[in-house]
Amino acid sequence: MRMRSLESRIVLLFLVLILAVQAAGFIAIRIGIDQNARASIQQELVVGERVFRRLLDLYAHNLTQGARVLASDYGFKQAIASDDSETIVSALANHGERIGASHAVLVAADRSIKASTTGKLLGSFENSIIDLLDAADKSDGATGNNIIDNQPYQVVVVPVKAPVTIGWVAMAFPVARQLATDMRELSLMHISVLVNAPTEDWAVTASSLPAAASTELARRMETIGSRPRFISQIRIADADYSAQILVFAEDAKQTAAVVLQHSISDAIAPYQRLQLILLVLTALGIMVTFAGSMIMARRITRPLRQLSDIAKRLGAGNYEGRIDIGKNDEI
């Protein structure tokens, strides 16, 4: 029984050692994978922010070109010169619809609102247009971001010249849904565009996340806030994400924020096969170690058991048997 107990202890010692080594290696590899995945996610979010800003610049360029077509139209200039309000509004509406603008405005030379396709303008929208007039004159066009009717818009202003400036054409384009679609197609990350007012909760205007996840993100924004920053981990709808918060537009009353999100689970997924292989190798290592330790334990205990038997025989007074030593080692 004592020999069997020694065998068990030897086998157990080998198994504990191999398990400790394998567990330490597995934990180290798992931590390394997690850290590398998170570092990669952070870098991808930085790249995602550049893609986002590049998309905004691309939208602005295309929309500015579209607005310039109307501003350079001879018939439109004639309508401005003759103060033909009906023709002006019709031209603004038709051209705005053609290029996807939801708001089209003509600003007179005295910087008053001459015509609009949406009637009376919100104060913040009108102010953003007026703020862009000087920049539009200097560079033949200017763009900015604004919040109109609780939706984020990109605003484009171009001068109307004949040959001096006789007015400005301003157009506003809803960008939230287009941003969400394009960012999702260009990258593996999700994007959510949210708007809030000081006395209201955050509301999602567009998101590539499922509806339940985007709603939960809106609730989480109450505690996260809209300050531009990187968030290493945020749990949304039973999934972990890293996120980058950007401010799209803000005024005294409202803020529009863009949240870029990258799934941590998706980033780690390619390494799961490696972890599975490691687990299989660990299991095989334990089996080999068990078999080897059993053989080793028996080689150690067999001569000890023979010694015990001889000692008992000698203790009983039987000195006639031979004592055979088959090995030259210590045992």
Side-chain angles (χ1 to χ4, degrees):
M1 290 298 293
R2 290 178 180 176
M3 293 304 146
R4 292 193 178 277
S5 176
L6 179 59
E7 286 184 15
S8 301
R9 289 200 296 270
I10 293 173
V11 172
L12 181 61
L13 176 62
F14 275 93
L15 289 179
V16 169
L17 289 175
I18 190 64
L19 281 173
V21 172
Q22 293 290 349
F26 183 81
I27 292 172
I29 291 174
R30 187 176 181 85
I31 292 174
I33 288 173
D34 186 73
Q35 290 177 343
N36 289 336
R38 290 175 184 273
S40 175
I41 289 174
Q42 185 171 4
Q43 185 60 37
E44 288 183 23
L45 286 171
V46 171
V47 175
E49 181 178 352
R50 294 173 185 165
V51 173
F52 165 77
R53 299 193 185 282
R54 179 58 182 154
L55 277 176
L56 286 182
D57 291 341
L58 181 62
Y59 295 164
H61 175 75
N62 293 338
L63 300 176
T64 301
Q65 291 299 107
R68 281 175 181 160
V69 173
L70 176 61
S72 62
D73 183 77
Y74 178 75
F76 183 65
K77 293 179 182 179
Q78 279 192 321
I80 295 175
S82 62
D83 198 19
D84 187 349
S85 299
E86 186 176 343
T87 301
I88 292 172
V89 172
S90 177
L92 288 171
N94 291 336
H95 194 76
E97 183 178 357
R98 190 178 306 119
I99 62 176
S102 59
H103 299 69
V105 178
L106 174 66
V107 182
D110 61 359
R111 302 198 172 197
S112 63
I113 303 300
K114 184 69 175 178
S116 171
T117 59
T118 55
K120 185 174 177 59
L121 302 181
L122 294 176
S124 60
F125 182 30
E126 183 175 348
N127 292 337
S128 68
I129 293 174
I130 300 302
D131 291 341
L132 291 171
L133 295 184
D134 290 335
D137 270 341
K138 291 179 181 179
S139 57
D140 200 29
T143 60
N145 301 320
N146 197 257
I147 304 170
I148 306 171
D149 294 330
N150 297 319
Q151 295 288 330
Y153 281 79
Q154 203 164 33
V155 181
V156 173
V157 178
V158 297
V160 182
K161 296 184 177 182
V164 297
T165 300
I166 60 174
W168 295 267
V169 172
M171 293 187 174
F173 305 85
V175 295
R177 194 168 300 280
Q178 189 66 38
L179 268 176
T181 301
D182 290 347
M183 282 294 295
R184 187 60 179 164
E185 290 178 353
L186 291 172
S187 65
L188 296 176
M189 64 189 64
H190 290 280
I191 179 173
S192 301
V193 184
L194 305 96
V195 175
N196 89 319
T199 58
E200 298 178 5
D201 296 333
W202 286 90
V204 178
T205 61
S207 178
S208 58
L209 290 171
S214 61
T215 301
E216 184 173 343
L217 175 62
R219 290 197 300 267
R220 297 293 300 275
M221 285 294 290
E222 295 296 328
T223 55
I224 296 172
S226 59
R227 181 172 59 86
R229 63 192 179 106
F230 169 74
I231 300 175
S232 61
Q233 183 167 334
I234 178 174
R235 191 158 186 81
I236 304 173
D238 299 326
D240 292 324
Y241 295 87
S242 290
Q244 182 75 35
I245 298 178
L246 311 171
V247 175
F248 178 81
E250 62 181 341
D251 54 34
K253 297 180 179 180
Q254 288 184 289
T255 300
V258 174
V259 184
L260 303 177
Q261 307 121 77
H262 197 305
S263 171
I264 297 176
S265 299
D266 290 346
I268 295 177
Y271 301 101
Q272 289 180 340
R273 179 178 175 82
L274 176 62
Q275 295 183 52
L276 179 61
I277 293 174
L278 182 60
L279 285 174
V280 172
L281 291 176
T282 299
L284 291 175
I286 291 173
M287 293 171 61
V288 171
T289 300
F290 178 78
S293 61
M294 286 290 292
I295 295 173
M296 180 64 68
R298 288 177 180 174
R299 292 187 63 183
I300 292 174
T301 58
R302 183 179 296 111
L304 294 178
R305 187 178 294 110
Q306 293 173 348
L307 175 60
S308 176
D309 293 341
I310 292 171
K312 290 178 181 178
R313 177 166 56 83
L314 294 175
N318 183 357
Y319 302 100
E320 296 179 358
R322 287 175 52 80
I323 299 177
D324 295 322
I325 299 175
K327 297 181 180 180
N328 294 324
D329 57 18
E330 294 87 346
I331 297 178

